[in-house]
Amino acid sequence: MISGSRLLAIETSCDETAAAIVERTHDAQRPWAMRSSVVASQVDIHREWGGVVPELASRQHVRDICGVVERALQDAHIGWPDVDAVAVTQGPGLVGSLLVGVSFAKAAAWALGKPLVGVHHLAGHIESIWLDHGRIPLPAVVLVVSGGHTNLYLVKTEGEYRLLGRTRDDAAGEAYDKVAKLLGLEYPGGPEIDRLAGLGNPRAIRWPGTRLTNPDRNAPERDGRFDFSFSGLKTAVLRHVRSRQAALGAERLPDAEIHDIAASFQHRVVETLVERTFAAARWHGARSVGMAGGVSANAQLRREAERRGASLEIPVFIPRPSLSTDNAAMIAAAGMRQLDRGALAPPDLNASPSLAL
Ligand code: KG4
Ligand code: ZN
């Protein structure tokens, strides 16, 4: 067996301090088993500021990291000597936050004399699908939809990801958070809009359409047919909210209107994500579709993806919501892939805030 049958993973790329233990199994269909996954969220700290404050995030990671790792070992009923390898998120993310995890992981690997792997955060999100569902039919088209990214990948071989499309501007999660702020809802806005959308009418407001016919100015050589754009929708919501505030002479809109705006905004986002993902799946002859990342915890997105998959006879795989949002178990899964390839990190591994995948 390749080294690293029991992996400790650490994730500190944004505002969650997370650690997990994942173990290899002898089941070829489900090669990894999650033994523990601990997430210390900083949401209560950042809520007061309406978003993540990088300096506060890194300081809190420093406070939490030891306790979170100890807890992950305890929950898995193992001790330090039972750890065979260490994986850590190398990037992308907030540099100060990443550095806490990277420094801790390097020190732990060195002290244990065990291998270290540096993991791309989005590879972690992608592998959360395999961690939770075992092996899925390939080729697969995978949508990674989070606070920082909206990327579509083609996976023909396990552990290899080809970028098919990405957002030209805001990530879907970012649009959720900004629209929530506009409506006076608390940070993070995604889960809040998800909840309130259920109370409103998704067809109450018709937003103008978004068309992406122009090439990507930042990468004109790319085929942008599976790209996304959410800033136009965000601006349309902003205009709508401002004009309603002016008409009512009040900052806060009535609850019923907030519910309708949330429902109509979410309707458009989910429709766009599902449309583009399945268009890519059909174009590439995918035998399955995967979705991962914080926004894939969204109830309506999960429902619509399942529905579209069923009608096109393409199975859909989405991790359980606790593995959709940031966690370290997904970093362990991606770390396992790297160990299999022998892609170990050098002892001077550094955080890479804008690492590409
Ligand atoms: O993957 P993630 O935890 O962190 C990043 O890598 O960015 O994603 C966080 C994003 C936030 O924008 C949050 O508002 C959004 O995921 N999110 C949701 C839901 N839960 C989290 N968006 C829509 N519906 C949800 N239920
Ligand atoms: Zn993430």
Side-chain angles (χ1 to χ4, degrees):
M1 186 181 289
I2 300 156
S3 76
S5 65
R6 211 178 270 132
L7 196 62
L8 162 67
I10 291 164
E11 150 68 42
T12 62
S13 66
C14 189
D15 61 342
E16 254 108 27
T17 317
I21 303 287
V22 168
E23 200 171 71
R24 280 188 207 280
T25 71
H26 298 289
D27 178 353
Q29 200 51 40
R30 297 184 72 93
W32 311 313
M34 184 168 73
R35 291 284 302 275
S36 66
S37 178
V38 179
V39 180
S41 171
Q42 303 179 359
V43 158
D44 290 340
I45 295 166
H46 301 293
R47 183 174 290 132
E48 209 180 312
W49 307 93
V52 177
V53 183
E55 181 64 24
L56 293 180
S58 7
R59 284 165 191 265
Q60 195 60 32
H61 285 305
V62 172
R63 285 189 199 102
D64 286 340
I65 185 99
C66 293
V68 166
V69 171
E70 288 293 342
R71 181 63 193 267
L73 293 169
Q74 266 170 27
D75 286 1
H77 306 292
I78 64 167
W80 281 107
D82 305 311
V83 171
D84 297 307
V86 181
V88 64
T89 307
Q90 186 186 354
L94 301 169
V95 67
S97 292
L98 289 165
L99 273 170
V100 177
V102 168
S103 313
F104 189 98
K106 281 201 296 195
W110 181 79
L112 295 168
K114 296 291 161 66
L116 174 70
V117 281
V119 172
H120 194 289
H121 182 78
L122 297 190
H125 276 305
I126 295 172
E127 296 299 345
S128 69
I129 297 168
W130 275 260
L131 175 66
D132 213 19
H133 295 282
R135 306 180 80 181
I136 68 171
L138 299 180
V141 162
V142 175
L143 172 71
V144 180
V145 66
S146 69
H149 296 85
T150 303
N151 288 3
L152 261 179
Y153 293 95
L154 178 65
V155 180
K156 285 186 176 167
T157 308
E158 286 171 352
E160 288 176 23
Y161 327 114
R162 191 180 122 205
L163 186 68
L164 297 177
R166 65 179 181 202
T167 182
R168 299 274 182 95
D169 38 62
D170 291 0
E174 191 181 350
Y176 262 97
D177 295 337
K178 287 178 178 167
V179 164
K181 203 166 183 174
L182 212 67
L183 293 172
L185 307 175
E186 290 207 318
Y187 176 85
E192 199 55 11
I193 291 193
D194 192 359
R195 193 174 66 78
L196 298 178
L199 307 171
N201 172 9
R203 292 174 208 286
I205 303 149
R206 287 206 169 274
W207 312 112
T210 305
R211 298 190 59 195
L212 279 181
T213 45
N214 55 320
D216 186 347
R217 253 180 299 149
N218 298 317
E221 73 289 353
R222 284 183 62 249
D223 170 2
R225 90 179 71 200
F226 299 121
D227 280 354
F228 299 92
S229 166
F230 293 102
S231 76
L233 174 60
K234 179 192 66 189
T235 308
V237 178
L238 173 74
R239 289 222 180 90
H240 177 84
V241 170
R242 293 283 179 261
S243 82
R244 291 299 300 146
Q245 283 170 330
L248 294 166
E251 178 89 0
R252 175 91 186 180
L253 302 181
D255 284 352
E257 270 198 45
I258 291 181
H259 300 165
D260 282 349
I261 295 170
S264 306
F265 163 77
Q266 173 157 293
H267 178 73
R268 168 61 69 82
V269 174
V270 166
E271 187 179 51
T272 308
L273 293 174
V274 169
E275 208 58 64
R276 202 87 14 110
T277 303
F278 281 91
R282 294 180 75 172
W283 179 263
H284 289 281
R287 293 183 54 232
S288 66
V289 157
M291 290 190 181
V295 181
S296 75
N298 185 271
Q300 195 187 339
L301 177 60
R302 298 172 86 93
R303 234 179 3 249
E304 284 303 313
E306 291 289 350
R307 213 175 51 82
R308 187 72 57 93
S311 78
L312 295 173
E313 296 184 350
I314 303 176
V316 175
F317 299 92
I318 309 175
R320 70 190 87 162
S322 61
L323 292 176
S324 288
T325 48
D326 284 353
N327 65 87
M330 67 184 199
I331 302 303
M336 287 287 194
R337 291 253 191 255
Q338 278 180 232
L339 279 173
D340 288 347
R341 281 201 301 268
L344 301 186
D348 63 348
L349 176 75
N350 203 353
S352 307
S354 42
L355 197 60
L357 181 74

